[in-house]
Amino acid sequence: MFRLIISLFFLGLFINPLQAALKGKVDLGPTYIDVDVLESGKTVDHLHMVGVKGDLTLLLYQGLYIKSGFILASDHGDLASGSVALGYYVPINESLRILPHGGVTCGYLRTKIDIEALGLHDLKERFRSVSPFVGLEVCYTFAKKWTITAIYQFAWSRTHTKIKPIVSSTGHSAGSNYSLGLEYSLNDHWSINAGVGYNESLSKEKHGLRAKGAKLGLGYYF
């Protein structure tokens, strides 16, 4: 039932219009993830995790760019994930930019589950997921040093679920990811940013995840 957690936090900003000669950006900061596990549309588990998120964006040629990222988080479970995407930077004017993109995320989530109907408790549950996605990022600079970014993505997920020692299955789901970020430029190279995200990814049987998250970041343009 692990679905698309990584895409929630694809919140790094690309190229500030005041820094058009720069070639990329590194972003790193803490993140918080809140996940509801759903079965038949009903919440059966609730996970809270804190960790770190990092992103690297590189301009390859003209507007073509590549972006990779990772998340490591733990508390009510352990999460590790990575993503890579290819996109194109399209400036509309000095204030507005759009960035269509597509890519894939891979993730691993480990937690524990109780199956009350069978009288089983603290069973180890593991999810492995591969999720291709497409999306659109819109950046708007509304003041000299302030930029707001909105991202929409749609992803398809193939997930292998294992509950030791009784369940091993593979499922498919699809869903949308929404995120909103705000960045403040400290100078030509450094910035600070914050973002929030929401994701719901369910199978036809209404099994899956509903996730929310937030992050803070320190960015360096080079």
Side-chain angles (χ1 to χ4, degrees), residues 136-210:
L136 180 67
E137 182 173 344
V138 179
C139 302
Y140 180 70
T141 301
F142 59 91
K144 184 177 180 180
K145 293 187 176 183
W146 291 93
T147 300
I148 189 169
T149 296
I151 303 174
Y152 172 78
Q153 294 175 340
F154 191 87
W156 301 264
S157 181
R158 181 179 185 274
T159 304
H160 180 256
T161 303
K162 187 171 185 179
I163 303 175
K164 292 183 178 180
I166 60 174
V167 173
S168 181
S169 65
T170 300
H172 298 81
S173 66
S176 295
N177 310 306
Y178 308 90
S179 57
L180 189 68
L182 182 66
E183 182 180 55
Y184 177 76
S185 296
L186 300 172
N187 52 45
D188 287 346
H189 291 281
W190 291 97
S191 70
I192 54 176
N193 60 77
V196 293
Y198 175 83
N199 162 255
E200 185 174 86
S201 180
L202 302 175
S203 67
K204 293 180 180 180
E205 297 79 17
K206 302 295 183 180
H207 303 326
L209 296 181
R210 182 184 296 120

Side-chain angles (χ1 to χ4, degrees), residues 9 31 62 65 76 92 97 99 108 151 160 164 167 207:
F9 301 98
T31 186
Q62 295 183 347
Y65 70 94
H76 296 168
I92 304 301
R97 291 90 66 205
L99 296 87
Y108 173 87
I151 303 174
H160 180 256
K164 292 183 178 180
V167 173
H207 303 326

Side-chain angles (χ1 to χ4, degrees), residues 8-9 11 29-34 49-53 71 180 193-198 211-217:
L8 266 174
F9 301 98
L11 294 168
T31 186
Y32 171 81
I33 305 170
D34 187 270
M49 288 177 283
V50 293
V52 62
K53 172 179 168 29
I71 294 176
L180 189 68
N193 60 77
V196 293
Y198 175 83
K212 302 177 290 292
K215 62 154 284 189
L216 296 174

Side-chain angles (χ1 to χ4, degrees), residues 15-49:
I15 297 294
N16 189 300
L18 300 177
Q19 304 162 325
L22 301 179
K23 300 299 182 182
K25 179 188 176 185
V26 177
D27 188 276
L28 186 67
T31 186
Y32 171 81
I33 305 170
D34 187 270
V35 181
D36 291 325
V37 181
L38 285 80
E39 292 183 6
S40 302
K42 297 182 179 180
T43 300
V44 297
D45 200 3
H46 196 78
L47 307 176
H48 307 281
M49 288 177 283

